Amino acid sequence: MRILLVLTFVTALAVGTVPAAGPTAIRITPPAPKFSDAERQAELAKRRAAVAAKMADKSMLILFSAEPKLYANDVDYVYRQENNLYYLTALKQVGATLVITKNGTSITETLFLPRRNPVRETWEGKMYSREDATRLSGVKRIVDSSERDAFLQAVKDKKAFSSKEGAAIDASGVGKIYLLLPMSERDSNGHREFRVENEFAKSLVEATFENAQPIFAELRHIKSPYELKLLQHAIDISTEAHMRSWATVHAAKMEYEVQAEVEYTFRRRNADFWGYPSIVGCGPNATTLHYVESQGEVKKGSLLLMDVGAEYDHYTADITRTFPVSGKFTKEQADIYQIVFDAQEAAAKATKPGVTFQQVSAAANDVITAGLMKLGLITQPAHTRIWYMHGLGHWLGMNVHDVGRYGAPLQPGMVFTNEPGIYIREDALANLPDTPENKAFIEKVRPAFEKYKNIGVRIEDDMLVTATGVEWMSKDLPRTIADIENFMAKVSKNIAMRPKSPSRRSLVFLDQSAGLLPYGSDAVWSLGYPAGGRTLRSGHRHHHPAS
């Protein structure tokens, strides 16, 4: 059947507020945070000073830009700068290298930067001028990157380097060189990401080197107010993406349609990209932790698990919700969901400065164990891992699994994910080892297993440790059973479907979104598909008084 799909989104809630009964309208992403050049430069200078303070005397830090990543043949993935170089410079330029030297109280910062190339810019876009790089980063001493190899050779030989313009870097007295390196021989990801650094370290004969990763892990573990604004914006974009996809899910036939609404919102709100591949799994697919295919059907009566997060200016959100496609939880779905919800609440209540991540995780684990025992899905605590096989969460920031030490006591400014889950996989019991103990266990839990199988639930929120406890940074997304059902009921009424002519189909959005039109103004945009196959775009505006 040819259809006309109409979506109506109402004015966003006030920023940072959620009614007691939970939101019933899509929360439009607030404007992105804006920083003046002076504010950005001050923030970056503070970070560079903090790094220098942790360096040994008579030492040097060398940070290389990320290498372009090959997609296929002569096509690269979208370029993403190495996190730590970006953390200190805010520069996305490939081929950039930052050098910080420390000699007593004297700190010198030098940036090697490719010279602008008109031919290259014709094909690939504008490169940074020296003025651009200084305005963004605050680093004033810039050397053409064509001289970088000569500098690196001087470092190997422990000699002084002087650029053609007279910028001097004396490596003769440097006793230690800091580089980003793999954490161990078994660190396969580190070997891939820091290939250039690792090869350079192995070439050093006269100088000693040290891994700079621990320095950055410690500093990035505590987020500054500047960083938290960026992270909150990524979370706000992700919240809107969740809400928009929920509003359309009852009309979707396939998981990829729901995922498309998520990633459309990411792009619409100017996110850099997703922070990780979107997970959109319905029914049994919700029991696979990192299900990224999105090729299953969206079936009424099933739960849909969505684990999606936008990345904005190198900071990524990570939010998961599990909700009923039909808008109402069944009793069995609610049984599982409530256990996960209660575990998440227990973890939040246990969060405060001074406790460890392991203590917070244990609080959630205890709730899940008790809940599974009550439902008859386990007979002893050791069985919990059959249905809850991952940890509580992870640090969050410039990586979705961000740097930081899990044994460290929590401090204000740390951000982590709180994401317990229960996954009743259909093949879980069949895959247990064939032992007398497991046979007895299977016989005991079989009735409960048949009742709850193929239900997968994860709830994930982004948590900021504060001086008094914790702040739910993703609090604007419905989370309780009642709030989810109420939200689904309200937004689903704003979607109407009616037949369209057989020669054409249209997707029409009636939208009141910040950033495209002022609040109170409705816009109708249609995307038509005529019989000839060409796509036609058209639009017009309807003006109504602001409510």
Side-chain angles (χ1 to χ4, degrees):
M1 175 185 287
R2 307 290 183 178
I3 60 173
L4 177 69
L5 178 63
V6 179
L7 299 118
T8 305
F9 300 112
V10 299
T11 303
L13 299 172
V15 176
T17 63
V18 180
T24 58
I26 291 169
R27 183 181 187 273
I28 306 303
T29 303
K34 292 184 178 180
F35 304 102
S36 67
D37 289 342
E39 289 172 322
R40 182 180 56 260
Q41 291 170 14
E43 172 77 9
L44 298 176
K46 183 177 179 181
R47 297 177 191 175
R48 293 194 296 269
V51 169
K54 293 186 177 296
M55 293 168 58
D57 190 21
K58 299 185 184 305
S59 66
M60 176 184 294
L61 168 72
I62 305 175
L63 293 182
F64 298 98
S65 63
E67 296 182 275
K69 303 297 190 296
L70 182 67
Y71 174 70
N73 194 20
D74 59 351
V75 177
D76 287 340
Y77 285 100
V78 174
Y79 184 74
R80 187 182 188 278
Q81 186 59 278
E82 194 281 317
N83 278 331
N84 299 299
L85 178 61
Y86 193 78
Y87 181 74
L88 297 188
T89 66
L91 298 177
K92 298 183 178 183
Q93 177 67 57
V94 64
T97 303
L98 177 68
V99 179
I100 298 177
T101 58
K102 180 177 181 178
N103 186 1
T105 59
S106 176
I107 308 296
T108 303
E109 301 170 349
T110 306
L111 179 68
F112 288 83
L113 188 75
R115 187 182 301 274
R116 290 183 65 186
N117 183 320
V119 175
R120 184 174 172 185
E121 289 188 355
T122 298
W123 286 89
E124 299 175 359
K126 184 181 177 182
M127 302 168 65
Y128 294 131
S129 66
R130 292 190 175 193
E131 293 75 19
D132 291 333
T134 295
R135 177 181 57 80
L136 287 167
S137 68
V139 178
K140 296 180 175 59
R141 195 161 80 150
I142 297 179
V143 176
D144 193 284
S145 62
S146 64
E147 299 189 64
R148 192 192 72 170
D149 288 348
F151 158 72
L152 294 178
Q153 187 61 50
V155 172
K156 293 178 185 179
D157 298 337
K158 297 200 74 171
K159 295 180 179 179
F161 165 81
S162 181
S163 74
K164 295 175 182 177
E165 297 178 353
I169 306 176
D170 189 359
S172 62
V174 171
K176 182 177 293 185
I177 297 173
Y178 291 93
L179 298 163
L180 295 171
L181 299 169
M183 295 302 292
S184 69
E185 286 301 318
R186 300 177 63 184
D187 180 9
S188 59
N189 289 332
H191 280 281
R192 288 194 302 168
E193 183 167 9
F194 304 124
R195 181 189 64 84
V196 173
E197 293 87 341
N198 203 28
E199 290 180 359
F200 179 68
K202 291 177 179 179
S203 73
L204 295 174
V205 177
E206 300 296 328
T208 60
F209 58 87
E210 185 170 321
N211 198 339
Q213 283 209 65
I215 292 177
F216 287 97
E218 182 178 349
L219 294 177
R220 285 171 48 194
H221 203 174
I222 307 294
K223 306 297 186 289
S224 69
Y226 185 106
E227 292 180 276
L228 290 173
K229 289 179 182 179
L230 295 173
L231 181 55
Q232 185 63 64
H233 191 60
I235 291 169
D236 290 340
I237 294 172
S238 305
T239 296
E240 181 182 352
H242 265 280
M243 288 180 159
R244 285 184 179 274
S245 59
W246 295 15
T248 63
V249 73
H250 77 280
K253 301 299 183 184
M254 303 295 291
E255 293 162 344
Y256 57 75
E257 297 176 69
V258 182
Q259 179 180 342
E261 188 66 28
V262 170
E263 293 172 11
Y264 159 73
T265 305
F266 288 175
R267 184 67 272 172
R268 183 183 195 181
R269 299 303 177 209
N270 200 31
D272 299 336
F273 207 52
W274 40 249
Y276 53 94
S278 297
I279 298 169
V280 180
C282 189
N285 292 335
T287 67
T288 298
L289 303 186
H290 289 169
Y291 171 80
V292 296
E293 289 84 357
S294 297
Q295 294 299 307
E297 293 184 47
V298 175
K299 296 182 179 180
K300 297 199 183 303
S302 296
L303 292 178
L304 185 67
L305 186 153
M306 292 182 54
D307 185 341
V308 300
E311 178 179 296
Y312 182 81
D313 202 12
H314 267 245
Y315 288 82
T316 182
D318 188 1
I319 307 173
T320 305
R321 289 293 185 270
T322 309
F323 59 94
V325 173
S326 57
K328 289 283 187 180
F329 289 88
T330 66
K331 181 184 183 304
E332 291 75 21
Q333 292 167 351
D335 287 344
I336 299 294
Y337 190 95
Q338 192 61 50
I339 295 172
V340 177
F341 179 92
D342 292 343
Q344 204 191 25
E345 287 284 301
K349 290 177 181 177
T351 301
K352 60 183 178 181
V355 305
T356 65
F357 197 87
Q358 288 78 2
Q359 290 173 299
V360 175
S361 181
N365 194 78
D366 289 347
V367 172
I368 288 182
T369 297
L372 292 173
M373 194 83 74
K374 184 177 180 180
L375 295 184
L377 285 164
I378 62 174
T379 59
Q380 55 179 290
H383 296 150
T384 299
R385 286 302 175 199
I386 297 173
W387 313 119
Y388 174 38
M389 64 291 293
H390 59 77
L392 174 68
H394 48 82
W395 306 123
L396 188 67
M398 299 184 87
N399 291 326
V400 64
H401 296 157
D402 207 27
V403 295
R405 187 165 62 87
Y406 284 94
L410 297 183
Q411 298 181 50
M414 292 181 177
V415 180
F416 68 93
T417 63
N418 179 359
E419 50 176 314
I422 294 175
Y423 315 87
I424 313 300
R425 290 184 61 82
E426 189 173 25
D427 60 357
L429 297 183
N431 288 332
L432 292 175
D434 187 10
T435 66
E437 293 79 10
N438 283 338
K439 286 181 179 179
F441 165 73
I442 291 171
E443 183 178 357
K444 183 76 172 179
V445 303
R446 176 68 71 181
F449 170 75
E450 294 297 332
K451 183 178 181 181
Y452 295 106
K453 71 179 179 182
N454 288 326
I455 293 177
V457 172
R458 181 164 66 253
I459 315 172
E460 178 180 20
D461 282 271
D462 302 338
M463 320 293 282
L464 169 64
V465 181
T466 67
T468 57
V470 69
E471 176 186 334
W472 298 69
M473 297 184 73
S474 47
K475 61 183 176 297
D476 290 305
L477 191 60
R479 193 171 59 92
T480 69
I481 289 176
D483 284 351
I484 289 173
E485 291 183 341
N486 191 34
F487 178 84
M488 295 288 287
K490 294 291 185 181
V491 295
S492 65
K493 291 179 180 178
N494 292 330
I495 300 177
M497 299 176 66
R498 59 181 182 269
K500 191 68 174 172
S501 67
S503 62
R504 176 180 175 178
R505 59 180 177 171
S506 296
L507 180 65
V508 179
F509 296 88
L510 179 59
D511 197 343
Q512 202 173 38
S513 298
L516 295 182
L517 294 169
Y519 289 132
S521 297
D522 293 339
V524 175
W525 297 94
S526 66
L527 183 63
Y529 302 86
R534 290 189 306 125
T535 300
L536 305 177
R537 301 176 188 274
S538 60
H540 59 275
R541 297 179 64 158
H542 295 304
H543 294 281
H544 301 284
S547 57

